[in-house]
Amino acid sequence: MKLKLLAALMAVGMGVGNQAAHAVVTQEMVDNAAGDTKEVLTWGMGNEGQRYSPLKQVNTDTVKRLVPAWSFSFGGEKQRGQESQPVIHNGKMFVTASYSRIYALDAATGQKLWKYEHRLPEGIMPCCDVVNRGAALFDNLVIFATLDAQLVALNQDNGEVVWKEKIDDYRAGYSATAAPIVANGLLLTGVSGGEFGVVGRVEARDAKTGRLVWTRPTVEGHMGYTYDKDGKATENGISGETNKSWPGDLWKTGGAATWLGGTYDKRTGLAYFGAGNPAPWNSHLRKGDNLFSSSTVAIDVKTGQIKWHYQNTPNDSWDFDGVNEFITFDMDGKRVGGKADRNGYFYVNDATTGKLINAFPFVRKTTWANGIDLKTGRPNFVPENRPGDPTAGADGKKGSAVFAAPGFLGGKNQMPMAYSPDTKMFYVPANEWGMEIWNEPIAYKKGAAYLGAGFTIKPLNEDYIGALRAVDPKSGKIMWEVKNNAPLWGGVMTTAGNLVFWGTPEGFLKAADAKTGKVVWQFQTGSGVVAPPVTWQKDGQQFVAVVSGWGGAVPLWGGDVAKRVNFLEQGGSVWVFKLADTK
């Protein structure tokens, strides 16, 4: 009898162990996340970043029955911008919130399971609101970055800290807001703080322990390093040639922050990170291309080496950060990548070599360049539309101002686009605005803003600023658009149900026919939507979720545009939807 009882207990124990082992997130699961309909394991709904779901229970016919299943409030007074994409695993939703908070919720009911609130020091210097864009899942960990430039790994079951690592010194202007990604067992992260003269870089850490494995700077002239298990650093190659594209010592505080994070394609073995604006904004101080600022860099995940780079805006003078996501997809039998850049142009590059295949505007007005030369890959600059050199003026305090479009908040900013392999179109949340901009003298001071420019954002049209656009990457045509009065600042998702979902600052989560652009459903969430939606299936029921909470860079930096949207209310909540029962 005792032997039978012991055997039964062993069987139960083994069953529990197998269940627990099955529950952890593996690299294989992350690699195949784009096709997983039952969970959302990564930022981008797959490391490639396509934000496409093969689910089609919610489609153009049934979407009219989409109703709230539950809603959860982040609570407290810490509202501000909510730009997070939830991740879902093992029946739990993990969602970050403003001020470096993260919640674990029951994905079926919205019940709070635990909360972790990172203790932030005085003196943090986030550029563009106290946002966080999401977390990474690996093993039994949920990992996210904080505004004081740290990484925190928590136990998925109880929220206890498993490891915590410092990225850099927040007092020097460093911060972190992006969702990490996991590739080859490594946690890949970038840094924020380009407006403070930081040095951009990509880091790889052991996802289970937080141990630093390699670093790769994104300012030419800086050295990369590989680290052994004891933390000893070995130089693994300089990032380009010192002073080749930067004058004097400006490369030492060159910006090029990798603040939006990256994507990864297991077919190429490359991680793709965008590098932000060079510092300072005053381009007359830094003659040259200023690599690798305002660029896409493709990094070999195993070695940390930059395999190729493509610079979208050489010698950037307009704050056209190149951080926007590089989404890989198939076109004409090749693996390529698409990027809707801040500068208003959409680029298609070979994902393996970086060779430019196509480039075209996805906004109606660009004044800084009148096209991209497909042979050289360089923009056709309009010299008179670059802000003037302040040293050329009578008093040396202010250069001649110009009107530039797009404005520095970009034809597209942090809000991720989506790609549908069904329609073969990208769905881009675009904005039509410009700016008056001028240059000023500036010198670097640790922890101080390092701009050397003044600006005012201005709308270009009376009837709209934002427009969701369906873009054909092959022909360069805008196939349809849905205009929006306020600027779009939330991400996009598309599904096999022939739907495109996106949010608006006015508070709506909307769905449109992916082929025609006809809006077929919308719901008022109570605050502006500046985050990307996700979808998954549980027990045969498809769910759609989005975070709601107005904020981000627009009300802080938007100039005349900010005045047009100052009536919008802040908030902080997660909304989850499902189809209403037809019985």
Side-chain angles (χ1 to χ4, degrees), residues 4 109 159 189 252 261 264 269 295 302 307 339 355 368 543:
K4 288 183 179 179
T109 67
T189 57
K252 294 180 179 179
Y264 170 74
S295 299
K302 293 181 179 180
K307 290 300 182 181
K339 178 177 181 177
K355 179 179 172 18
W368 67 279
F543 295 87

Side-chain angles (χ1 to χ4, degrees), residues 328-501:
T328 52
F329 66 106
D330 293 320
M331 188 176 80
D332 295 336
K334 289 184 177 181
R335 196 63 169 169
V336 300
K339 178 177 181 177
D341 197 81
R342 283 258 289 261
N343 66 22
Y345 284 88
F346 193 104
Y347 298 81
V348 180
N349 296 80
D350 186 298
T352 303
T353 67
K355 179 179 172 18
L356 183 64
I357 296 172
N358 200 8
F360 53 88
F362 65 93
V363 295
R364 304 296 182 184
K365 186 172 185 177
T366 59
T367 63
W368 67 279
N370 58 21
I372 309 298
D373 188 322
L374 294 182
K375 291 182 179 179
T376 65
R378 297 181 67 85
N380 301 318
F381 285 111
V382 181
E384 59 269 27
N385 287 336
R386 180 181 294 271
D389 185 349
T391 63
D395 58 5
K397 294 182 179 180
K398 180 179 177 180
S400 58
V402 299
F403 185 81
F408 75 88
L409 291 177
K412 190 184 86 66
N413 202 285
Q414 62 84 24
M415 52 283 194
M417 62 184 180
Y419 173 76
S420 170
D422 300 329
T423 65
K424 294 181 171 50
M425 290 193 291
F426 279 90
Y427 300 95
V428 183
N431 288 311
E432 299 286 349
W433 44 20
M435 63 180 172
E436 184 181 12
I437 183 170
W438 58 91
N439 285 159
E440 301 167 346
I442 187 70
Y444 173 77
K445 181 181 179 181
K446 179 181 176 180
Y450 189 42
L451 299 186
F455 48 82
T456 302
I457 295 282
K458 297 178 180 294
L460 297 178
N461 307 288
E462 288 297 324
D463 58 331
Y464 79 102
I465 298 173
L468 182 72
R469 289 179 172 143
V471 174
D472 182 338
K474 193 171 181 178
S475 69
K477 293 181 179 179
I478 297 173
M479 307 306 291
W480 55 256
E481 68 178 358
V482 179
K483 294 180 179 179
N484 196 74
N485 179 60
L488 294 182
W489 208 253
V492 184
M493 173 183 70
T494 186
T495 74
N498 191 36
L499 290 172
V500 180
F501 288 88

Side-chain angles (χ1 to χ4, degrees), residues 57 61-62 64-67 541 578-583:
Q57 182 183 88
D61 293 326
T62 63
K64 59 181 176 290
R65 295 195 285 114
L66 202 61
V67 296
Q541 177 82 59
K578 66 179 182 179
L579 294 178
D581 199 333
T582 57
K583 295 180 181 178

Side-chain angles (χ1 to χ4, degrees), residues 194-198 246 250 253-256 277-282 286 293 450:
E195 270 61 60
F196 297 96
V198 305
W246 292 84
L250 284 176
T253 51
N277 59 284
W281 288 18
N282 182 348
R286 42 175 175 76
S293 69
Y450 189 42

